[in-house]
Amino acid sequence: MKTSISSGYAELSKAVAQNVIDCVKAKPDALICIAGGDTPLGVFAALVEAQNQGRVDFSRTQFLGLDEWLGLGLADKGSCREMVWHHFFDKLTLREEQICFFDGLTHDPQAECKRVDGYIEKHGPIDCIVLGIGMNGHIGFNEPGASLENTCHVIDLDPVTQTVSVKYFGTPREVKQGISLGLKTILASKKIVLMASGEKKAAIVAQTVNHPTSVEIPSTLVKTVPQANLFVDKAAASAL
Ligand code: PGA
């Protein structure tokens, strides 16, 4: 896995955005998946700017959501849907059929998994996926110990993830489960961009790079994919 180290978050975000732009330029109807969370916010901004400047055309691109907190929807601050719509989809000119995103408010999570799996069967594999790294090494909501055979599935969230979640919601919330693309789908992506920013990610970035591939640290599994790159800023690279 090639590692690119940027001087700071702005440069990191631009470098990752350029990967997405290159993918869409090569294949205008590409299937793109970009994580929610704090890490990709700069990527969203860079992609919106690129669209506004005419440097990329998303009119035929398909967008797939990576994961969602079960029980949360667009009206919930900090849900994946709220973050991705607010920072990205609302600022692009997209048609509804260009987006497939987990409905965290579903009353039938298994049917929701089937729906998204069906979409991936029709439009997949993912051409380019941008992943953050959880403090415990999770990718999407594939927590330590996740199965390599999983497609879309419901997950009991790891205590680390539940604790970290407060930063999105601004207040503690009962989030016990998530719904996510599985490792099988993620690792079948044609291109994976794994990104991390800031000193708090330095330890898990070093583990991702140095630890043998293991489901106990899901981010290490990205190293098994030939077209996988790690993009970090100096602070996140400080323990490498
Ligand atoms: P973050 O989350 O981008 O908010 O740090 C990363 C993740 O948990 O995957």
Side-chain angles (χ1 to χ4, degrees):
M1 180 169 67
K2 195 173 150 250
T3 301
S4 300
I5 303 175
S6 302
S7 58
Y9 182 63
E11 195 195 324
L12 167 69
S13 300
K14 277 190 190 151
V16 171
Q18 193 57 48
N19 276 261
V20 176
I21 292 168
D22 291 346
C23 181
V24 173
K25 280 198 165 152
K27 187 180 174 194
D29 62 347
L31 179 58
I32 304 289
C33 179
I34 307 179
D38 289 337
T39 310
L41 295 182
V43 178
F44 292 148
L47 290 174
V48 170
E49 186 180 73
Q51 177 203 248
N52 293 344
Q53 294 174 344
R55 288 187 282 117
V56 65
D57 175 5
F58 290 124
S59 63
R60 292 174 58 201
T61 310
Q62 294 288 323
F63 290 99
L64 175 65
L66 176 63
D67 53 9
E68 185 56 284
W69 310 90
L70 264 189
L72 301 193
L74 188 62
D76 296 293
K77 188 191 170 306
S79 70
C80 297
R81 184 174 285 257
E82 188 271 331
M83 290 185 93
V84 176
W85 255 262
H86 183 73
H87 291 278
F88 193 42
F89 292 159
D90 279 346
K91 299 186 168 166
L92 302 180
T93 322
L94 299 177
R95 297 177 308 285
E96 211 173 295
E97 63 268 23
Q98 287 180 267
I99 302 169
C100 176
F101 210 94
F102 287 113
D103 176 10
L105 297 175
T106 178
H107 295 297
D108 189 345
Q110 297 310 330
E112 184 62 0
C113 289
K114 272 203 189 125
R115 179 184 73 84
V116 177
D117 276 336
Y119 173 91
I120 295 164
E121 256 166 48
K122 185 169 170 207
H123 296 277
I126 297 166
D127 290 292
C128 178
I129 188 165
V130 177
L131 299 168
I133 310 177
M135 296 299 285
N136 60 359
H138 78 193
I139 49 177
F141 278 143
N142 292 277
E143 304 283 27
S147 165
L148 283 166
E149 295 309 314
N150 272 340
T151 54
C152 295
H153 63 299
V154 173
I155 302 104
D156 291 333
L157 296 171
D158 188 84
V160 173
T161 302
Q162 293 188 37
T163 306
V164 167
S165 73
V166 176
K167 73 171 179 161
Y168 307 116
F169 310 136
T171 167
R173 293 195 68 154
E174 279 277 293
V175 281
K176 296 217 170 315
Q177 289 190 310
I179 186 167
S180 179
L181 302 188
L183 290 174
K184 192 172 179 184
T185 306
I186 290 173
L187 299 175
S189 302
K190 290 190 192 158
K191 180 173 197 175
I192 300 186
V193 175
L194 190 61
M195 74 178 290
S197 166
E199 205 178 338
K200 66 177 186 302
K201 293 287 173 76
I204 192 62
V205 165
Q207 277 187 294
T208 300
V209 171
N210 297 327
H211 198 281
T213 59
S214 160
V215 291
E216 293 311 322
I217 309 175
S219 52
T220 61
L221 299 168
V222 170
K223 294 189 284 188
T224 62
V225 176
Q227 289 297 323
N229 291 303
L230 174 67
F231 284 80
V232 285
D233 56 19
K234 264 194 197 153
S238 58
L240 287 178

